[in-house]
Amino acid sequence: DTGVSQDPRHKITKRGQNVTFRCDPISEHNRLYWYRQTLGQGPEFLTYFQNEAQLEKSRLLSDRFSAERPKGSFSTLEIQRTEQGDSAMYLCASSLVQAGANEKLFFGSGTQLSVL
Amino acid sequence: AQSVTQLGSHVSVSEGALVLLRCNYSSSVPPYLFWYVQYPNQGLQLLLKYTTGATLVKGINGFEAEFKKSETSFHLTKPSAHMSDAAEYFCAVGSGTGGFKTIFGAGTRLFVKA
């Protein structure tokens, strides 16, 4: 168990640029989540995948945001035409959901995005 | 709808003193309640959770929390603070399986003085 890894750890970009983040979940986990965390706040749900299917998206996820999990393993989160308000920590979490068992989330260390 | 309120964005205690971090929740269904800890430059780590059954829940690192339905509270305690407990703590409420249904509080940063 190597844990959930996220890349890059930090990203600085100029307003209007596109950015892409990657998340590698724990290998046998079937669910993968993206959260956003701004300074002084707890994580806010953005979207999640069950295997390769994206099952839920928050209203926070504007049209400029897109997430994929093409083979049910790693996931990418892309933000197009970044805005200063997108500056935040983007957290990925994964879990193994099994019938009759409570879900436990494992979080990555996050990608800190700064939009100048 | 569910919500979480953590009372106090910052709490400071002396090493060896009692740690008390307060959390109140609102939920229209029986809640699942969680405490997570986040150390600098690290992801969130589950400390403990309440789903059903015993209302006093013991977690890792000597922490425990008690679910009080009448007070809609789930306060986190530790009898004796250690320097290594300095971190940010998040209370969260969920309605069952499904991390997307988990609502996090704003967090409480714990400072431990030598």
Side-chain angles (χ1 to χ4, degrees), chain A residues 1-4 10 12 19 21 24 26 46 57 82 86 98-99 108:
Chain A
D1 178 359
T2 58
V4 178
H10 304 274
I12 299 174
V19 294
F21 311 139
D24 286 89
I26 294 172
L46 292 178
K57 291 195 291 186
T82 52
D86 297 330
Q98 296 173 306

Side-chain angles (χ1 to χ4, degrees), chain A residues 9 33 35 37 42 48 103 108, chain B residues 38 41 43-44 90 98-100 105:
Chain A
R9 291 295 301 274
Y33 297 84
Y35 289 85
Q37 185 178 15
Y48 92 100
E103 185 178 18
Chain B
Q38 186 176 33
N41 300 314
L44 279 74
F90 293 94
F100 66 94

Side-chain angles (χ1 to χ4, degrees), chain B residues 55-75:
Chain B
T55 56
L56 182 63
V57 181
K58 294 187 184 299
I60 62 172
N61 301 338
F63 284 94
E64 63 182 35
E66 186 171 10
F67 169 58
K68 292 187 176 180
K69 184 178 179 180
S70 61
E71 299 177 8
T72 61
S73 69
F74 191 57
H75 301 331

Side-chain angles (χ1 to χ4, degrees), chain B residues 89-110:
Chain B
Y89 292 79
F90 293 94
C91 181
V93 61
S95 59
T97 58
F100 66 94
K101 296 180 180 177
T102 302
I103 306 297
F104 288 85
T108 297
R109 182 162 295 278
L110 176 65

Side-chain angles (χ1 to χ4, degrees), chain A residues 4-79:
Chain A
V4 178
S5 62
Q6 292 188 244
D7 184 69
R9 291 295 301 274
H10 304 274
K11 178 70 177 178
I12 299 174
T13 190
K14 293 182 179 179
R15 188 162 49 106
Q17 298 294 305
N18 299 343
V19 294
T20 300
F21 311 139
R22 177 181 170 122
C23 171
D24 286 89
I26 294 172
S27 59
E28 66 270 22
H29 283 187
N30 50 11
R31 276 196 186 169
L32 185 148
Y33 297 84
W34 286 100
Y35 289 85
R36 183 176 70 185
Q37 185 178 15
T38 53
L39 201 61
Q41 298 297 319
E44 297 173 293
F45 168 76
L46 292 178
T47 187
Y48 92 100
F49 294 83
Q50 176 86 17
N51 299 312
E52 66 274 11
Q54 188 174 17
L55 297 187
E56 185 87 11
K57 291 195 291 186
S58 163
R59 286 169 294 184
L60 293 174
L61 214 65
S62 75
D63 292 344
R64 296 184 297 105
F65 288 71
S66 62
E68 294 182 344
R69 194 184 184 198
K71 297 181 180 179
S73 55
F74 74 92
S75 174
T76 58
L77 177 68
E78 181 183 16
I79 309 175

Side-chain angles (χ1 to χ4, degrees), chain B residues 7-114:
Chain B
L7 302 175
S9 58
H10 297 84
V11 170
S12 182
V13 300
S14 298
E15 193 173 21
L18 171 71
V19 175
L20 171 60
L21 305 183
R22 300 177 187 272
C23 172
N24 287 89
Y25 70 91
S26 172
S27 178
S28 57
V29 298
Y32 285 29
L33 295 161
F34 309 84
W35 276 99
Y36 286 85
V37 61
Q38 186 176 33
Y39 297 102
N41 300 314
Q42 294 187 28
L44 279 74
Q45 179 183 3
L46 182 66
L47 269 180
L48 51 81
K49 65 179 179 182
Y50 167 80
T51 54
T52 59
T55 56
L56 182 63
V57 181
K58 294 187 184 299
I60 62 172
N61 301 338
F63 284 94
E64 63 182 35
E66 186 171 10
F67 169 58
K68 292 187 176 180
K69 184 178 179 180
S70 61
E71 299 177 8
T72 61
S73 69
F74 191 57
H75 301 331
L76 181 70
T77 60
K78 181 174 180 177
S80 176
H82 191 273
M83 297 296 288
S84 62
D85 294 327
E88 184 128 28
Y89 292 79
F90 293 94
C91 181
V93 61
S95 59
T97 58
F100 66 94
K101 296 180 180 177
T102 302
I103 306 297
F104 288 85
T108 297
R109 182 162 295 278
L110 176 65
F111 296 92
V112 182
K113 300 175 291 186

